[in-house]
């Protein structure tokens, strides 16, 4: 994690399912790691699975929308 000794792993391929599987694999092999996982589409299932596994998901689509001015909608 953030103590400087454990690895920090950021998973961000172009495929959400690949990111999910990769993050779960890293989490099993490196239980002390801080695992951050990018997804493009919002997926409550994926977010729940990742959080239960101790990973930290973030959704790119929501970040893009949050950064757009209200008058664009």
């Amino acid at each position: 994690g953030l103590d400087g000794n454990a690895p920090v792993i950021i998973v961000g391929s172009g495929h959400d399912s690949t990111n999910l599987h990769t993050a779960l694999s890293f989490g099993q092999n490196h239980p002390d790691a801080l695992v951050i996982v990018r997804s493009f589409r919002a997926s409550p299932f994926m977010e729940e699975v990742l959080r239960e596994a101790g990973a930290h998901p973030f959704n790119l689509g929501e970040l893009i929308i949050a950064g757009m001015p209200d008058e664009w909608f």
Side-chain angles (χ1 to χ4, degrees):
L2 299 175
D3 63 1
N5 295 321
V8 175
I9 301 164
I10 303 172
V11 183
S13 77
H15 302 280
D16 290 353
S17 62
T18 299
N19 292 347
L20 173 62
H21 293 185
T22 302
L24 294 175
S25 177
F26 274 124
Q28 289 174 349
N29 293 320
H30 303 281
D32 59 333
L34 172 62
V35 181
I36 302 169
V37 187
R38 182 208 57 88
S39 67
F40 187 77
R41 285 184 228 83
S43 169
F45 170 76
M46 183 173 171
E47 289 180 13
E48 181 179 345
V49 168
L50 288 169
R51 285 198 174 101
E52 287 180 6
H56 303 275
F58 73 94
N59 179 291
L60 191 57
E62 290 177 2
L63 290 176
I64 292 170
I65 290 171
M68 293 179 174
D70 289 337
E71 58 268 11
W72 288 10
F73 296 98

